[in-house]
Amino acid sequence: MLGMMGSFISGFYYAAKLFLLPLIIVSVYAVNAFGDAYIYDSTLGVTGVIGSDNNHFFWPQGAAVDGSGDVYVADTSNNRIQKFNSSGAYEGTLGVTSVPGLDNSHFYYPCGVAVDGSDNVYVADTYNHRIQKFNSNGEYVSTIGVTGVSGTDNSHFNLPYGVAVDVSDNVYVADTFNQRIQKFNSSGAYEGTLGVTSVPGLDNSHFYYPSGGAVDGSGNVYVADTGNHRIQKFNSSGAYVSTLGVTGFPDIDNSHFYTPSGVALDSTGNVYVADTGFQRIQKFNSSGEYVSTLGVTGFPGIDNSHFHTPSGVALDSTGNVYVADYFNSRIQKFNQVDNCTATLSNDLSLHVPIAIYSGQPYAFDFQWNGVAETLTNITFLTDASVFNSCSPATISFDLGIHIPVVIFSGVSYWLDLQYDQGLNFIATGADDN
């Protein structure tokens, strides 16, 4: 993710440093070869403040988004599922706030939530050792598992932490303390197991406390194998395919994880990992290549560029990312923006996406006439659509640009852009004193 005073994205490094007046915070948002950039959009909950009303959460561990953009939050320590519309307005509650229970109107420490194509809601009711299904109106439908009773056979779970649903409404359960993933059909009948029940292990037929899962349109299953610090992929027949991460070895670089707790997929097969111990969300393409990071690796925090123990991640249909930021008691939403780089003809037209303080998207839109430090048509835009109007660059030589930026009370700040032949943008800034 992009820091409040700077940013980097792997493979294509873009640094920004702006020295600004107090209370004015500017970030220059970067892009890479995949056209990948994210800006903070909004927060559900109150950062760092637990509570039981509908504006607060108490250590939420999971999130899901339906086809209409409604967001469902596993508000774990409040023993409930909270629903919000696409604008962030509260819409309803499943469960009884702060009251655990065994009947079908209560949960006991629910850690995961999923939604199918008909907006049925599935809840990993962890301490009740069951999966609860509700229809789109919030009415109870059915249970998988035996309420309040753990076990190792195929009709029981032992502290299931995650649940996922495929396009055929098959249900996949991260049966965490049984060290397995259980599959059930849309009627709730058992269909198969990944892993070896109650036996943790490091090889590709075992898990070590798996806590999350996701399924793509082809039926491939992705498992957050938390204790093994990896994401395991299996095909629709249950055969092992590949691994993200290094089994059994946490590390801080982009080929490792540290206790990843959640995994999600977008419509093009990109994989998003809640790398919980390293305080970040890692994105990989469908080939398993690292793409980008949200968060600041290894550093928890309460601002919008940091997480504190992110435990779940979800995507909506437009590629927006939702993070269950556990110890910050909030859900963070990030928008993906398109590749905004230079397009060179006789003039240079360049859109530089930035954000100021609140995360509201802004952009510099300017042209360069080919003479160093001479700019024309500088405009300051608040229209987020600028992010979707940029084209990839085709430039074969170095380019230097010196941009005067007036931020506040007539005080000017300079943004220097250098494009080099190694496909790097470098930006630095300082005031005009």
Side-chain angles (χ1 to χ4, degrees), residues 146-338:
V146 179
T147 299
V149 181
S150 64
T152 60
D153 61 32
N154 294 322
S155 62
H156 290 78
F157 303 116
N158 189 3
L159 297 176
Y161 270 72
V163 60
V165 186
D166 67 18
V167 294
S168 300
D169 294 341
N170 296 305
V171 181
Y172 300 77
V173 180
D175 189 10
T176 305
F177 279 70
N178 275 331
Q179 316 293 342
R180 65 187 181 183
I181 303 296
Q182 297 285 84
K183 179 181 177 181
F184 302 84
N185 67 20
S186 59
S187 299
Y190 168 77
E191 290 212 335
T193 297
L194 293 172
V196 180
T197 300
S198 301
V199 182
L202 293 165
D203 61 33
N204 295 322
S205 62
H206 291 77
F207 302 115
Y208 190 19
Y209 296 102
S211 57
V215 191
D216 66 21
S218 300
N220 296 303
V221 181
Y222 297 75
V223 179
D225 190 10
T226 305
N228 278 328
H229 310 293
R230 67 185 180 183
I231 303 298
Q232 297 285 82
K233 179 180 178 180
F234 302 84
N235 68 19
S236 59
S237 300
Y240 167 79
V241 176
S242 60
T243 297
L244 291 173
V246 179
T247 300
F249 291 95
D251 206 345
I252 207 163
D253 61 34
N254 294 320
S255 62
H256 291 75
F257 304 114
Y258 184 23
T259 60
S261 297
V263 60
L265 308 168
D266 66 21
S267 59
T268 59
N270 294 306
V271 182
Y272 301 75
V273 180
D275 190 11
T276 306
F278 280 142
Q279 316 295 338
R280 65 188 180 182
I281 304 299
Q282 296 286 81
K283 179 178 177 179
F284 301 84
N285 66 20
S286 58
S287 299
E289 299 166 325
Y290 168 77
V291 175
S292 60
T293 297
L294 287 169
V296 180
T297 299
F299 291 92
I302 61 172
D303 61 34
N304 294 322
S305 63
H306 290 77
F307 304 115
H308 193 345
T309 318
S311 298
V313 60
L315 278 292
D316 67 20
S317 59
T318 60
N320 297 312
V321 179
Y322 301 77
V323 180
D325 192 9
Y326 178 68
F327 275 129
N328 279 329
S329 292
R330 66 186 181 182
I331 303 298
Q332 297 286 82
K333 179 182 177 181
F334 300 87
N335 293 330
Q336 184 172 13
V337 296
D338 290 338

Side-chain angles (χ1 to χ4, degrees), residues 341-350 366-370 395 399 401:
T341 57
T343 301
L344 197 65
S345 54
N346 293 328
D347 286 349
L348 172 73
S349 297
L350 183 63
F366 59 88
Q367 292 180 335
W368 179 61
N369 66 2
I395 305 176
L399 172 68
I401 300 177

Side-chain angles (χ1 to χ4, degrees), residues 38-105:
Y38 291 90
I39 59 173
Y40 165 77
D41 180 279
S42 57
T43 297
L44 293 173
V46 179
T47 298
V49 181
I50 62 175
S52 58
D53 61 33
N54 294 323
N55 295 319
H56 291 78
F57 302 115
F58 189 176
W59 297 346
Q61 292 202 40
V65 189
D66 67 21
S68 300
D70 297 324
V71 181
Y72 302 77
V73 180
D75 189 10
T76 304
S77 292
N78 274 328
N79 296 297
R80 66 187 181 183
I81 304 298
Q82 297 284 83
K83 180 181 178 181
F84 302 84
N85 67 19
S86 59
S87 300
Y90 168 77
E91 290 209 333
T93 297
L94 292 174
V96 179
T97 299
S98 302
V99 181
L102 293 166
D103 62 32
N104 294 322
S105 62

